[in-house]
Amino acid sequence: MADWLQKKGTQKFIKTLGLPLPIPSTLKRQTEVINPENWKGKKILLDGASLGSNLSSILEQNGFATQQGTEPFDALVYDASSIQSIADLKKLYDFFNGNIRKMNRGGRIVILAGMPTDGATLENQSSIEAITGFSRALSKEVGKRGVNVQCLQIENNLAIAHIFPIVHFFLTEPSVYITGQVLQLSSKAVVTENLSLTNSLKGKTALITGGARGIGAETAKVLAREGAKVIVLDIPKAEEDLKTLAASIDGDYIAMDVTDTGVANKVREKCPNGLDILINNAGITRDKTIAKMTEDYWDLVLNVNLKASIQLTDSLLQSGLNEGASIIGLSSISGIAGNVGQTNYSASKAGMIGLMEKAAEIGAAKKITANAIAPGYIETKMTEKLPFFVKEAGRRLSSLAQGGAPQDIAEAIRFFVSPGAKAITAQVIRVCGGSFIGR
Ligand code: NDP
């Protein structure tokens, strides 16, 4: 399962021979409970419009050093929210052309942008959209140094208290495998609750389908680490694994096939005080080109990956999900870009995006958020069985030139279901190392 290009001996050999292979940077991952103390002293250069100055003081309060003249920087944060014209776009050139070389390896870049509005002129709208192209291209340029770039499009008047936790996430280890993303921050589902970075899931109950292994099991551990009570659901065959995992995280389990129509009732029975976090993760592949695909391959993938999630989400939205709950659906870059031999899987994963968008719309009245997480190439049992060259393409055709770990998805899910991420809803968040596949 391990990436052979990550081994030190192999890297030395490749360097000695001068082979033109992309040596991936070693990514520094989150390994323990979230503790802002660990990021004290991180050096950030912050510039641009006024949002930046408000952000500067809250970053300072949280221990980051945002003074000028402290290069090399761990991060660059540029507030591009005042950009409205082609002439304004030059500010991006001026800032990054001058500062990009002053960054440490493994650094972070966050670009804050405005959101297109109804009254925008042709030049306003295209200039705002131009920022997204700039940030995606920048992510591809700096990825080989392990530097990540995100663009956050922020609704006018969104309070800094709701922007800060999201910027914080993108400046720190838990987002290490996310780059080249554009996310919209809005007030649709924000609530004024405790936005503390620590113990953010304390008192919350979470359900994870397909939780016995892979991404689901890793997510269960990470959510429990931050205080959630986690219920893992998987097929009856996986009961022993479920039992062991649930015991290790002081959680609970349901041994049931997710396609079983009794699942929602079972969840309600297990959660008398309601559910706060629903993770639709169970997923399978049955790959064949459409001409060779059997009907049962088609039905199985659509039923497990999509129909079961629709039924569960629908039923729990009607009864079972608490006010302010969070829903996540596991999509895939195959659902965004399509993939040969995966018409069934890609359809199910694109369908998951539609499901999350609609769930966000329905849930907004109860301040429920719903987002799709689209993993890129992640080193799990599911991808282990792929042919060597397919694995290599999955790993190397990304800005960070490597596959991700289940924990990268788990950390992303952990953040996007936390109170600090309430400004993000109806979005697709790719956790793909800046995969060159898809948008
Ligand atoms: P794994 O195969 O490692 O884990 C999936 C889990 O779901 C397994 O425990 C599996 O059980 C369980 N499961 C399968 N069918 C059912 C069912 N009918 N009812 C209940 N549980 C079921 O997959 P990953 O952890 O790699 O993937 C998790 C999710 O992420 C999936 O939705 C996948 O499509 C998505 N994803 C993964 C990527 C990757 O690179 N790994 C990339 C993009 C998306 P068992 O197999 O034992 O039957």
Side-chain angles (χ1 to χ4, degrees), residues 209-216 233-235 237-238 256-259 280-284 304-305 330-333 345 349 374-383:
T209 68
R213 64 175 162 94
I215 291 168
L233 177 148
D234 212 295
I235 49 170
K237 207 175 75 186
M256 230 172 157
D257 191 306
V258 76
T259 58
N280 290 300
N281 167 74
I284 54 168
V304 173
N305 293 11
L330 268 291
S331 179
S332 165
I333 51 169
Y345 185 76
K349 293 301 178 182
Y377 181 89
I378 306 298
E379 310 275 358
T380 66
K381 279 230 161 86
M382 189 190 249
T383 49

Side-chain angles (χ1 to χ4, degrees), residues 33-88:
V33 69
I34 301 293
N35 179 3
E37 291 292 313
N38 294 345
W39 298 299
K40 280 219 156 127
K42 247 187 197 293
K43 290 177 282 179
I44 301 176
L45 178 64
L46 212 134
D47 208 348
S50 62
L51 213 55
S53 55
N54 294 334
L55 195 59
S56 170
S57 51
I58 192 162
L59 283 167
E60 287 279 347
Q61 283 160 28
N62 281 274
F64 293 90
T66 61
Q67 302 89 345
Q68 301 268 355
T70 48
E71 60 194 75
F73 302 108
D74 299 307
L76 303 178
V77 177
Y78 188 76
D79 180 3
S81 60
S82 65
I83 288 180
Q84 294 283 331
S85 67
I86 305 303
D88 288 347

